[in-house]
Amino acid sequence: MKKDAKNGNGAKANGNGRLEYQTYPIGRRGGAAAIDDALGSRCTKAAMFATNAESRPSWSLMDELNFVATTPVYKPAVSHISSVALDDQSPLEVPLLLDQGGHGLMVGKQKHRKRLSNAEAVYTIVNIFVGLGMLSKPYSVAQGGWISLFGLSFLCFWGAISGLIMIRCFQLIPGSRVTYPQLGQAAMGIVGKRIVQGIIMLEFVGATLIVMIFMWKNFSFLFPQIDSLTTATTLTIATIPSVWLLNFGELSCISFIGVLANAAITIALIGFIVNDPGQIKAEKYDNVTDMEGLSVAMGIYTVALAGHAALPSIYADIKDKSSINKVVGLSFFFMWIIYCVTAAAGYLFHGRDAHVLVTEDIMIKNPGWCFELVTFLVLAKSYCSVSPIISILNEIPEAGLGITSDWARRTSRTLCLAILSVLAYICQDHLDIVEALTGSAFTMCSSFILPPLFLVLLSYKSKDKEDRELGLVAPAPEDTPCAGAMKANAAQWVSKFTKWDRAYYWFLAISGVVVGAVFTYGDFRELLKKKL
């Protein structure tokens, strides 16, 4: 194969001799214009990721459908195992995202992924974020009233901004492979690394509890004659084989199951309203409730927006890097539409009597094989989600303890599953509080507070003598020339921050702290109110 040629400024020429470039559109003042202001026209472009021009046209319609049906399971970059390669000389020959065994993720039977088109990137991002949390959206409106939907809208807008900031932060870290804890260490030293690791672990503890309770409750809706202890014990034991799967590619079908489940629930809720519009009665609804109810609603909305740490992996795979603003913006817009439609439809039909899981309302109001199938899809999605969450949760302690053998990892994950199953059983009657606390406390930190905080702290360091040590200007030794150009340009961009730029990012971080603290306090008050 003919090697790509390089020009003087680090750009690559493809097989046809055409130079391919990447732009950096993430800025407070708006897209590439902000970069032009900061760097000048000559510095706005860096070498684009090498691409195989023959890869895309070779994909048939069936290949495209297979991509949708088996979307790769993108993991948040929490350790060297799941680190993100933001630059690679041959991305179609060297995996951009490693699975838990250090091998490339698989799409069907193909060894390497193709580059994502913009539409595929939007689909993948939406699929990552829109998960089982959608089941609690009608309950969220019942808790917070119609006004809580304005809070959901604001969170989706804020989440899009924070996602772009997260991608920019990853571009600033030295080395060819990047992790979220490395970002924390670059910004705040070893304390920042430990903060990130701790928050990620707590967030995934909450996610494990939520998924396991979802699984148990939906099983109970299908088989109400079985008591809760037997259900929890049986399903936990049945989950152990999935936890022993160490290759994420073996569970790529969970994305498609999730799409089917979410689509079926949305169609069912809309169908109820269309079929029986008489259920819409003004006395069933509240425009606003109380502070505790609003806190629970906002926490549940927030936990449904967890997934920012996986966005750099999508950015690494997307074909047109200059379109990242549009891709992220469209993704969060579609999420907003999906969440609002689901929440409004469920609340219109069930009113303030909506349960935490909309599948329970469906089974109560409309029992039958069709809706049992919807509940079964949710059950299957919950079952398949346990293994990826447990594996991510265990990556950090396994790396710290030096656990590398397959059976040692399986043993540690089985033990983790057993401990969290006991905790989930204790919390199963407070699912709404578990969701709300996970969102208000931990997702708020990992997805909304830390990205702008780290970016502004890195902007200070880019002007210090530490910048060469951190690699914010000088590329790290292991960087490819392409990566070095990318990171040098990103570092120059952040080094041009004005006091107003820094004030903006400080404002985002402090706002996240205040919002998270207020809603976490409200969640605890709601928990105490229920116990009393």
Side-chain angles (χ1 to χ4, degrees):
M1 181 182 294
K2 185 178 178 181
K3 291 189 176 180
D4 292 335
K6 297 179 183 176
N7 70 355
N9 62 11
K12 280 182 174 291
N14 62 18
N16 299 322
R18 182 175 57 84
L19 293 179
E20 296 179 327
Y21 292 98
Q22 173 184 346
T23 60
Y24 290 91
I26 307 167
R28 181 174 72 85
R29 287 168 290 181
I35 311 302
D36 285 336
D37 294 341
L39 303 178
S41 58
R42 191 179 67 84
C43 299
T44 58
K45 295 182 178 180
M48 187 177 181
F49 295 46
T51 57
N52 185 343
E54 298 175 356
S55 64
R56 178 75 188 179
S58 67
W59 282 63
S60 65
L61 175 61
M62 291 306 298
D63 292 325
E64 298 288 353
L65 293 176
N66 181 63
F67 171 85
V68 172
T70 58
T71 304
V73 183
Y74 284 87
K75 299 169 60 180
V78 300
S79 76
H80 69 281
I81 297 174
S82 56
S83 58
V84 178
L86 287 178
D87 174 78
D88 205 300
Q89 292 289 0
S90 301
L92 294 177
E93 297 177 7
V94 181
L96 287 168
L97 182 62
L98 300 182
D99 65 17
Q100 299 170 49
H103 307 291
L105 290 176
M106 311 291 278
V107 178
K109 296 184 179 179
Q110 300 194 41
K111 183 178 180 182
H112 308 294
R113 280 204 301 276
K114 64 166 185 172
R115 288 298 189 187
L116 300 177
S117 67
N118 289 353
E120 290 163 348
V122 170
Y123 164 80
T124 303
I125 292 173
V126 171
N127 204 20
I128 287 173
F129 281 83
V130 179
L132 295 171
M134 194 179 77
L135 298 176
S136 299
K137 293 298 171 287
Y139 177 81
S140 300
V141 186
Q143 287 294 298
W146 286 116
I147 197 172
S148 68
L149 291 179
F150 289 100
L152 173 61
S153 304
F154 176 74
L155 283 174
C156 288
F157 176 73
W158 189 1
I161 295 174
S162 185
L164 293 172
I165 294 173
M166 176 73 83
I167 294 171
R168 170 62 78 187
C169 287
F170 269 63
Q171 292 174 336
L172 292 170
I173 307 304
S176 57
R177 306 198 70 85
V178 186
T179 68
Y180 200 174
Q182 281 180 342
L183 172 60
Q185 185 169 10
M188 299 176 63
I190 192 65
V191 174
K193 178 180 180 179
R194 299 305 180 208
I195 288 174
V196 171
Q197 289 176 331
I199 289 173
I200 287 173
M201 290 184 66
L202 289 171
E203 184 177 14
F204 277 90
V205 165
T208 306
L209 300 183
I210 292 168
V211 168
M212 297 197 74
I213 297 173
F214 276 18
M215 179 171 61
W216 298 343
K217 284 188 173 292
N218 281 283
F219 184 87
S220 296
F221 301 155
L222 294 174
F223 304 97
Q225 68 275 15
I226 302 177
D227 65 90
S228 61
L229 180 59
T230 303
T231 295
T233 304
T234 303
L235 290 181
T236 300
I237 294 173
T239 305
I240 293 176
S242 72
V243 172
W244 284 6
L245 295 175
L246 300 178
N247 183 356
F248 255 48
E250 297 168 21
L251 284 175
S252 60
C253 62
I254 68 174
S255 298
F256 189 51
I257 295 174
V259 170
L260 289 178
N262 292 336
I265 290 168
T266 304
I267 292 172
L269 291 175
I270 296 174
F272 293 156
I273 296 296
V274 173
N275 184 59
D276 189 7
Q279 289 292 331
I280 302 177
K281 300 175 183 178
E283 61 271 16
K284 293 168 58 176
Y285 317 121
D286 297 308
N287 290 327
V288 63
T289 55
D290 54 24
M291 185 60 197
E292 289 79 11
L294 184 61
S295 297
V296 171
M298 295 302 291
I300 295 175
Y301 292 148
T302 304
V303 80
L305 295 174
H308 283 66
L311 288 177
S313 302
I314 308 296
Y315 176 77
D317 277 3
I318 194 171
K319 185 178 180 181
D320 181 11
K321 300 295 186 296
S322 64
S323 65
I324 189 62
N325 272 5
K326 179 173 67 175
V327 166
V328 173
L330 280 174
S331 299
F332 278 85
F333 173 74
F334 286 131
M335 280 183 249
W336 174 71
I337 293 292
I338 292 169
Y339 287 148
C340 284
V341 168
T342 305
Y347 188 51
L348 282 171
F349 195 79
H350 302 289
R352 63 177 65 91
D353 295 327
H355 290 83
V356 181
L357 293 179
V358 71
T359 45
E360 182 174 2
D361 294 322
I362 290 174
M363 293 299 292
I364 292 174
K365 293 280 188 180
N366 298 273
W369 72 266
C370 183
F371 300 107
E372 287 177 355
L373 177 60
V374 174
T375 305
F376 175 78
L377 287 173
V378 174
L379 173 62
K381 168 68 173 179
S382 303
Y383 175 86
C384 293
S385 298
V386 173
S387 176
I389 294 174
I390 289 287
S391 68
I392 294 169
L393 175 60
N394 278 267
E395 276 188 16
I396 294 172
E398 284 174 0
L401 297 173
I403 299 175
T404 56
S405 71
D406 288 350
W407 280 108
R409 292 163 65 198
R410 290 185 176 112
T411 301
S412 69
R413 294 174 188 195
T414 303
L415 181 61
C416 177
L417 175 66
I419 294 172
L420 292 180
S421 295
V422 174
L423 185 57
Y425 186 78
I426 296 172
C427 299
Q428 65 177 328
D429 293 330
H430 302 289
L431 174 59
D432 55 340
I433 303 299
V434 174
E435 288 188 76
L437 282 174
T438 301
S440 298
F442 308 128
T443 301
M444 181 61 68
C445 284
S446 66
S447 298
F448 293 87
I449 298 173
L450 293 183
L453 176 63
F454 289 164
L455 183 60
V456 74
L457 291 178
L458 289 172
S459 75
Y460 289 116
K461 292 192 175 185
S462 69
K463 291 182 175 295
D464 298 338
K465 293 180 180 179
E466 299 177 72
D467 52 10
R468 289 190 177 275
E469 177 186 344
L470 292 170
L472 294 178
V473 174
E478 68 270 27
D479 278 340
T480 64
C482 186
M486 285 169 37
K487 291 174 181 176
N489 276 10
Q492 290 181 56
W493 172 77
V494 81
S495 69
K496 302 289 186 179
F497 270 14
T498 67
K499 63 179 181 180
W500 298 112
D501 293 316
R502 291 192 176 93
Y504 169 72
Y505 291 111
W506 273 119
F507 172 76
L508 289 178
I510 294 171
S511 297
V513 172
V514 173
V515 170
V518 170
F519 290 141
T520 301
Y521 174 73
D523 297 337
F524 276 114
R525 283 181 57 89
E526 180 69 12
L527 178 62
L528 292 174
K529 183 193 297 184
K530 286 188 173 184
K531 285 197 170 183
L532 296 175

